Amino acid sequence: MQGFVDRKEAAGIVTLIAREGKTVDLHAVGFADVEKNVPMKTDAIFRIASMTKPITSVAIMMLFEEGKLFLTDPVSKFIPAFKGSTVIEDGRPVPARRAITIRDLLAHKSGITYGFLNGGAVGGGYRKNGVTDGLTSTTLTLEENVNKLAAEPLVSQPGDRFNYSLSTDVIARVVEVVSGQAFDVFLRERIFRPLKMADTDFVVPEAKWSRFVTVYSPDGKGGIRPMIDPETFGNTNMSPWALYKTGRTYFSGGAGLASTASDYARFANMLLNGGIYDGARLLGPKTVELMTMSHTSELTPPLPLLGPGNNFGLGFRVVTDIAATQSLGSNGLYGWIGIYGTAFWVDPKEKLVAVMLVQKYPNPTVTATFQTLVYQALVR
């Protein structure tokens, strides 16, 4: 990891490895902020972006366990705006052959996409019509944005294709409707507090702001520079740091959280341990088992963004053929990444949890190297 810092490919990195529920290595290298000469520390707070998705997926599966919804339920049962969804086929909208289900959302088979993928949906319609991707500052609420999204045509028929998407933001809205709680409150009360994830939230308090890591991008000269407007992606009407400040209105289920390596490891260890960690049970073992099976096996591989040997479960990448991935690991390994370079995985066979946090956009190659280094160190 130090090599990435020395080569100026990353400012700083925090890594954590746990085996059988115990942290065996926690290490920080480099800087949280190069310009201010702030050293990286193991309790640094990172934008985990899409590593929010597994947490959101656990939230809705908790409600599933309580009998408040089924995976086969149409999303329109909870969000009426999704009634009458259309799909673009041969350049024109046609009625969807069936309704989007909760399982479709979890496995990214809903036909929804992201504004930065698939041509911004149809003719850039997502951004043109004000649909936020969850990475940019906005005054929209989750309900308002999901209703806007529901009005957009789908890019494929529900169930037909894997499209990485805003589906997890829709899941977050379903959580609100079914639980009767704001999404951020549900996560705080039902997941973060029980698991003692004290530094995980949508807002970074002023008292913790000094621990919040700067995002970096290539400077075009072989080094790095602070990413310009890291939270706005060019939307100059918003403060680039407003997203994680008090007063935030949009709680993205797909990309909104900030966390630390130790906090996220508690969440990952809960999954490894069959839904319980440190006395707090969130899920039953069979639910975790269902979530970490492939739910895309019927689709033609390799799936977009996942690569050979990988399928998608209910909120996670799932390795089904480790040889095809050309990396070290195990069949059954599952996890996910974030757009700023963060990554985690759980290996049930080896009883292993690994978390790697960095803030670099586009992503450096740190994740693949970290995975190799972790497994070559495994000797029993």
Side-chain angles (χ1 to χ4, degrees), residues 311-356:
N311 277 286
F312 209 82
L314 301 181
F316 311 90
R317 170 184 72 105
V318 179
V319 174
T320 54
D321 184 352
I322 191 66
T325 70
Q326 302 186 65
S327 59
L328 301 181
S330 309
N331 286 343
L333 177 155
Y334 59 90
W336 199 231
I337 59 174
I339 198 170
Y340 297 119
T342 57
F344 91 103
W345 74 85
V346 175
D347 185 334
K349 182 178 179 181
E350 299 294 349
K351 297 181 174 58
L352 176 76
V353 159
V355 180
M356 190 280 301

Side-chain angles (χ1 to χ4, degrees), residues 134 201-203 242-252 255-257:
D201 208 327
F202 290 99
V203 171
L243 196 60
Y244 293 92
K245 290 284 192 180
T246 301
R248 180 176 188 173
T249 60
Y250 189 73
F251 304 106
S252 170
L257 290 170

Side-chain angles (χ1 to χ4, degrees), residues 89-101:
E89 292 185 351
D90 299 322
R92 62 186 182 86
V94 300
R97 289 194 293 266
R98 66 165 177 80
I100 300 169
T101 66

Side-chain angles (χ1 to χ4, degrees), residues 109-133:
K109 298 191 293 185
S110 63
I112 296 168
T113 184
Y114 264 119
F116 54 83
L117 297 173
N118 295 303
V122 182
Y126 278 27
R127 291 188 174 177
K128 185 165 57 180
N129 295 322
V131 176
T132 181
D133 288 333

Side-chain angles (χ1 to χ4, degrees), residues 27-104:
H27 193 64
V29 298
F31 297 87
D33 190 295
V34 175
E35 289 69 31
K36 296 179 181 177
N37 201 36
V38 178
M40 183 67 78
K41 295 182 179 179
T42 55
D43 67 348
I45 298 173
F46 293 75
R47 301 157 188 78
I48 61 171
S50 286
M51 277 170 55
T52 303
K53 289 179 171 71
I55 294 175
T56 302
S57 301
V58 164
I60 201 163
M61 294 305 288
M62 292 169 72
L63 297 172
F64 165 75
E65 281 196 340
E66 293 168 4
K68 294 179 179 176
L69 56 86
F70 294 99
L71 298 183
T72 52
D73 280 340
V75 178
S76 57
K77 176 179 178 180
F78 311 102
I79 307 173
F82 278 99
K83 289 180 179 177
S85 294
T86 61
V87 183
I88 293 298
E89 292 185 351
D90 299 322
R92 62 186 182 86
V94 300
R97 289 194 293 266
R98 66 165 177 80
I100 300 169
T101 66
I102 299 298
R103 181 176 184 251
D104 290 332

Side-chain angles (χ1 to χ4, degrees), residues 47-329:
R47 301 157 188 78
I48 61 171
S50 286
M51 277 170 55
T52 303
K53 289 179 171 71
I55 294 175
T56 302
S57 301
V58 164
I60 201 163
M61 294 305 288
M62 292 169 72
L63 297 172
F64 165 75
E65 281 196 340
E66 293 168 4
K68 294 179 179 176
L69 56 86
F70 294 99
L71 298 183
T72 52
D73 280 340
V75 178
S76 57
K77 176 179 178 180
F78 311 102
I79 307 173
F82 278 99
K83 289 180 179 177
S85 294
T86 61
V87 183
I88 293 298
E89 292 185 351
D90 299 322
R92 62 186 182 86
V94 300
R97 289 194 293 266
R98 66 165 177 80
I100 300 169
T101 66
I102 299 298
R103 181 176 184 251
D104 290 332
L105 295 175
L106 284 162
H108 293 281
K109 298 191 293 185
S110 63
I112 296 168
T113 184
Y114 264 119
F116 54 83
L117 297 173
N118 295 303
V122 182
Y126 278 27
R127 291 188 174 177
K128 185 165 57 180
N129 295 322
V131 176
T132 181
D133 288 333
L135 287 169
T136 57
S137 299
T138 180
T139 56
L140 291 172
T141 64
L142 192 55
E143 179 181 11
E144 290 168 343
N145 193 56
V146 169
N147 284 341
K148 281 177 176 284
L149 177 64
E152 297 294 319
L154 306 176
V155 297
S156 62
Q157 291 286 348
D160 277 10
R161 294 206 321 249
F162 177 86
N163 290 294
Y164 192 54
S165 67
L166 275 164
S167 290
T168 319
D169 282 48
V170 180
I171 292 172
R173 177 57 188 154
V174 174
V175 169
E176 289 190 329
V177 173
V178 173
S179 71
Q181 290 183 295
F183 183 58
D184 62 318
V185 174
F186 183 94
L187 293 191
R188 199 174 299 123
E189 293 184 356
R190 299 289 305 275
I191 297 179
F192 303 151
R193 285 178 185 166
L195 288 181
K196 300 175 185 174
M197 297 169 65
D199 290 322
T200 304
D201 208 327
F202 290 99
V203 171
V204 177
E206 198 66 38
K208 299 180 181 180
W209 202 253
S210 62
R211 293 162 52 197
F212 200 28
V213 179
T214 300
V215 182
Y216 287 85
S217 287
D219 63 4
K221 303 173 184 177
I224 54 174
R225 59 158 174 77
M227 183 178 172
I228 299 170
D229 290 347
E231 308 309 334
T232 67
F233 283 85
N235 182 357
T236 55
N237 294 321
M238 297 289 180
S239 162
W241 302 104
L243 196 60
Y244 293 92
K245 290 284 192 180
T246 301
R248 180 176 188 173
T249 60
Y250 189 73
F251 304 106
S252 170
L257 290 170
S259 188
T260 64
S262 294
D263 266 18
Y264 208 90
R266 297 184 72 84
F267 173 76
N269 274 305
M270 176 274 297
L271 295 168
L272 175 65
N273 203 35
I276 188 171
Y277 186 71
D278 199 13
R281 179 168 291 284
L282 270 60
L283 295 171
K286 297 303 288 187
T287 304
V288 176
E289 184 181 326
L290 178 65
M291 294 180 73
T292 55
M293 293 175 176
S294 170
H295 288 258
T296 58
S297 298
E298 78 283 8
L299 304 180
T300 303
L303 301 181
L305 301 180
L306 300 183
N310 294 289
N311 277 286
F312 209 82
L314 301 181
F316 311 90
R317 170 184 72 105
V318 179
V319 174
T320 54
D321 184 352
I322 191 66
T325 70
Q326 302 186 65
S327 59
L328 301 181

